[in-house]
């Protein structure tokens, strides 16, 4: 079958643009310009960052009618393109993405910088991610509590997952011990199932894995995943938590395209923030917080803001001439789910289209239907969990997660079409079964080398720093190749592609040296960086925030986002970030004697 041609690409772009113009005309006027923020304004709470947790916080704190809340976001409004599930692959490396890269290391990405996309838009990374709704494993949270984070055990966080959830799949929603309906966040399977999904599921069953709901009773196995979509439309936390309230609650002010550059202190007390316009730097000022400043900028921007404000390692701050407010291990404990593009299959049921196919798909995803290939994410709708040699098999705590990543074998042609060199997730003829290390032992570092808040921080991932992490991913590669012998893969034309990475061609396929070389050359982040503002008890010398998410040694300052995770959860991190927002909001309310009926 021919590749996704320039004509087809042009057709796709035309349809997306036309629909984008239509939906722009249906959107209320943007009231979130930086010019609406006045220097010296006073609020009860200031939330820096409108990402997966920040949008939740803005919703829940404004439930208290006499609290005035300011929500600040460096990005802008969500464009229509972000609502199309299949288009998520085309949102990275655009103006919706901070476009972070790591400092080059010999142990990852072939010695080149690795890309670490982060959402720069209302909804944060929930506006550009693959929408996978994955809570992690119950033992993740029990370990957090065992480490001294009282109140963060699974029995305490499960109610907060359920609080936000509106599960759209009756077969899953009926399990009310683990799921609920009626929350702000819609969750469900994608409407469209392409021809490769069931054969992938059956292939894993053939080699011994059961079909599971990994947000329920059992994690080990394979699943048609659920996603933060509402009947074929992305449901970012912006759409889920802000859209229903932003023009109704008068005590919420949202300002986009403005960067928080510094937290203001009076002694050790946070009293507000300083800001600068993201696009128009002539716009600047200070605003005050009577109660608290809440940092919710994510695992890269939150530690950067703390460091710029004088909270972080003393040596780093003094070398830059930043007055030290509090000496804390900000930026330490950086880690991610690392995978690698080494094991791929060419599929018999190619979904690569021509212009006529795209026309058909556009009609299916029209204003009223929201169906067809655009309403899904292709083979990425399947995920599986397996055990490496290090996993404790006496409990349900697998340590490898597979992403089934679609791609096209002719991606070079797309570059000439000015299409970012990538195809929407729904169009592919190759699937990479990428294992990710769920609980890495390696830890990296985030730091700054400039006092300019517009300079990007330095990210040292320290990937594959030890044998544990390398052996774990090797076990993942080996298990992925076993699918080639499954009855389902043979019957459905899935062919293992043994083409080596160029720098690994001298090594024998399937040997440990080959896998090690492949892991280093074809490293890929799952885009789940966490841990840079670590939560821990006061006995933990590396902790930045306490179990109530208050920054140690200062007053009226919290961090509420994925950066507080002591250890990354065993799965995608968007759902846990939403939970952290829900639980964090209740902690704020409790501080002021408010119990909100939950």
């Amino acid at each position: 079958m021919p590749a996704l041609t320039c004509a087809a690409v042009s057709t796709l772009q035309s349809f997306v643009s036309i629909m984008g113009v239509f939906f722009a005309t249906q959107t209320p006027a943007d009231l979130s310009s930086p010019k609406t923020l006045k220097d010296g304004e006073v609020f009860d709470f200031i939330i820096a960052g409108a990402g997966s947790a920040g949008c939740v916080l803005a919703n829940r704190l404004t439930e208290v009618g006499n609290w005035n809340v300011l929500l600040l976001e460096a990005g802008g409004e969500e464009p229509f393109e972000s609502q199309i599930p299949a288009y998520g692959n085309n949102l990275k490396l655009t103006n919706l993405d901070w476009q972070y890269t790591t400092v080059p290391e010999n142990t990852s990405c072939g010695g080149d910088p690795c890309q670490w996309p982060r959402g720069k838009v209302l909804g944060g990374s929930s506006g550009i991610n693959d929408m996978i709704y994955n809570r992690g494993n119950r033992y993740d949270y029990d370990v957090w509590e065992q480490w001294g984070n009282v109140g963060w055990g699974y029995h305490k966080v499960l109610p907060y997952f359920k609080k936000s959830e509106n599960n759209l799949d009756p077969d899953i929603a009926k399990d009310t011990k683990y799921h609920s309906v009626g929350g702000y966040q819609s969750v469900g399977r994608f409407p469209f199932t392409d021809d490769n999904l069931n054969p992938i599921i059956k292939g894993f069953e053939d080699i011994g894995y059961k079909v599971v709901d990994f947000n329920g009773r059992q994690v080990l196995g394979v699943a048609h995943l659920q996603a933060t979509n509402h009947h074929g439309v992305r449901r970012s936390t912006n759409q889920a938590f802000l859209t229903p309230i932003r023009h109704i609650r008068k005590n919420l002010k949202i300002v986009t395209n403005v960067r928080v550059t510094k937290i203001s202190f009076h002694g050790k007390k946070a009293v507000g923030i300083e800001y600068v316009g993201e696009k128009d730097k002539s716009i600047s000022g200070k605003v005050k917080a009577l109660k608290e400043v809440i940092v919710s900028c994510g695992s890269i921007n939150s530690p950067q803001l703390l460091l710029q404000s004088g909270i972080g390692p003393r040596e780093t701050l003094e070398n830059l001439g930043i007055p030290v407010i509090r000496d804390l291990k900000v930026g330490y404990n950086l880690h991610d789910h690392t995978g690698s593009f080494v094991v791929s299959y060419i599929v018999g049921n190619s979904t690569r289209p021509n212009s006529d196919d795209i026309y058909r798909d556009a009609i299916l995803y029209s204003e009223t239907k929201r169906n067809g290939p655009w309403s899904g994410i292709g083979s990425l709708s399947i995920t599986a969990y397996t055990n490496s040699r290090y996993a404790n098999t006496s409990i349900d705590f697998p340590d490898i997660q597979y992403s089934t990543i679609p791609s096209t074998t002719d991606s070079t042609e797309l570059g000439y079409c000015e299409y970012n060199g990538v195809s929407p997730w729904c169009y592919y003829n190759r699937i990479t079964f990428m294992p990710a290390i769920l609980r890495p032992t390696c830890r990296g570092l985030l730091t700054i080398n400039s006092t300019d808040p517009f300079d990007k921080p330095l990210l040292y991932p320290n990937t594959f720093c030890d044998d544990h992490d390398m052996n774990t991913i090797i076990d993942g590669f080996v298990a992925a190749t076993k699918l080639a012998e499954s009855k389902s893969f043979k019957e459905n034309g899935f062919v293992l592609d043994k083409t080596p990475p160029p720098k690994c061609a001298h090594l024998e396929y399937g040997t440990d040296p080959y896998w090690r070389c492949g892991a280093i050359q074809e490293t890929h982040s799952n885009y789940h960086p966490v841990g840079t503002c670590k939560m821990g008890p006061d006995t933990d010398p590396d902790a930045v925030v306490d179990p109530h998410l208050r920054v140690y040694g200062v007053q009226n300052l919290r961090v509420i986002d994925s950066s507080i995770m002591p250890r990354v959860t065993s799965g995608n991190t968007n759902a846990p970030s939403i939970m952290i927002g829900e639980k964090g909001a209740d902690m704020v309310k409790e501080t002021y004697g408010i119990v909100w009926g939950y």
Side-chain angles (χ1 to χ4, degrees), residues 380-396:
L380 199 53
S381 294
I382 305 298
T383 197
Y385 286 90
T386 65
N387 291 320
S388 80
R389 70 191 75 177
Y390 300 111
N392 179 359
T393 56
S394 68
I395 58 176
D396 182 26

Side-chain angles (χ1 to χ4, degrees), residues 356-377:
D356 290 340
D357 296 328
I358 289 181
Y359 179 82
R360 176 204 63 208
D361 296 344
I363 297 302
L364 286 171
Y365 199 82
S366 64
E367 177 189 352
T368 55
K369 294 184 179 179
R370 293 293 186 274
N371 210 320
W374 291 14
S375 68
I377 55 174

Side-chain angles (χ1 to χ4, degrees), residues 58-367:
N59 180 305
R60 296 306 187 184
L61 294 185
T62 55
E63 289 176 333
V64 183
N66 61 351
W67 282 355
N68 290 312
V69 177
L70 172 64
L71 177 65
L72 300 169
E73 169 57 38
E77 301 284 342
E78 273 189 277
F80 169 75
E81 292 93 323
S82 70
Q83 297 182 37
I84 306 172
Y87 207 73
N89 196 31
N90 302 87
L91 303 175
K92 301 173 181 69
L93 302 180
T94 69
N95 63 354
L96 306 181
D97 176 10
W98 285 92
Q99 301 186 35
Y100 288 119
T101 57
T102 64
V103 175
E105 296 177 340
N106 291 331
T107 55
S108 61
C109 294
D112 295 324
C114 300
Q115 294 179 358
W116 278 17
R118 295 284 85 198
K120 189 179 183 182
V121 63
L122 278 179
S125 294
S126 75
I128 70 168
N129 66 3
D130 301 323
M131 295 169 284
I132 298 169
Y133 183 80
N134 188 335
R135 298 172 178 174
N137 194 296
R138 71 185 65 218
Y139 295 109
D140 294 325
Y141 305 102
D142 289 343
V143 168
W144 288 8
E145 189 159 55
Q146 290 167 15
W147 287 350
N149 295 294
V150 178
W152 288 90
Y154 183 68
H155 65 295
K156 292 291 188 179
V157 302
L158 177 59
Y160 285 104
F161 282 115
K162 294 173 66 176
K163 179 179 183 179
S164 60
E165 183 182 21
N166 178 34
N167 201 293
L168 303 175
D169 295 330
D171 60 315
I172 290 180
K174 68 181 181 183
D175 187 353
T176 56
K177 179 177 179 180
Y178 296 100
H179 297 284
S180 63
V181 296
Y184 281 101
Q185 183 66 65
S186 293
V187 176
R189 300 186 189 96
F190 292 108
F192 183 76
T193 300
D194 75 37
D195 292 340
N196 294 308
L197 301 192
N198 288 327
I200 296 172
I201 291 281
K202 190 64 173 65
F204 275 100
E205 288 185 292
D206 289 345
I207 63 172
Y209 293 96
K210 295 180 179 180
V211 176
V212 298
D213 164 20
F214 51 72
N215 293 314
R217 286 176 169 78
Q218 182 176 338
V219 175
L220 183 70
V222 63
H224 281 279
L225 56 82
Q226 292 199 307
T228 51
N229 89 107
H230 188 87
H231 302 307
V233 179
R234 178 190 294 272
R235 189 68 95 214
S236 66
T237 54
N238 169 47
Q239 296 293 335
F241 289 88
L242 294 185
T243 297
I245 67 164
R246 69 181 295 183
H247 300 296
I248 297 173
R249 294 185 189 168
K250 304 303 182 183
N251 60 338
L252 172 62
K253 183 169 188 173
I254 299 172
V255 181
T256 60
N257 293 302
V258 65
R259 185 177 300 217
V260 179
T261 58
K262 190 175 181 180
I263 301 163
S264 303
F265 287 92
H266 181 72
K268 299 288 185 180
K269 181 180 179 181
V271 295
I273 59 93
E274 299 178 17
Y275 66 90
V276 174
E278 186 70 19
K279 298 178 179 178
D280 182 357
K281 294 183 176 57
S282 68
I283 299 173
S284 63
K286 299 179 180 180
V287 287
K288 299 178 182 179
L290 297 177
K291 288 184 167 62
E292 295 188 20
V293 174
I294 300 174
V295 178
S296 190
C297 303
S299 291
I300 296 178
N301 295 75
S302 285
Q304 181 183 18
L305 177 58
L306 292 184
L307 289 164
Q308 296 284 357
S309 304
I311 298 176
R314 179 177 296 277
E315 181 179 5
T316 300
L317 301 178
E318 289 181 343
N319 285 342
L320 292 170
I322 299 174
V324 179
I325 302 295
R326 177 70 177 183
D327 183 4
L328 293 171
K329 291 289 188 70
V330 174
Y332 287 69
N333 194 44
L334 173 66
H335 58 295
D336 184 19
H337 289 143
T338 300
S340 189
F341 287 168
V342 180
V343 181
S344 295
Y345 289 81
I346 305 300
V347 300
N349 297 314
S350 173
T351 66
R352 293 181 300 173
N354 56 36
S355 297
D356 290 340
D357 296 328
I358 289 181
Y359 179 82
R360 176 204 63 208
D361 296 344
I363 297 302
L364 286 171
Y365 199 82
S366 64
E367 177 189 352

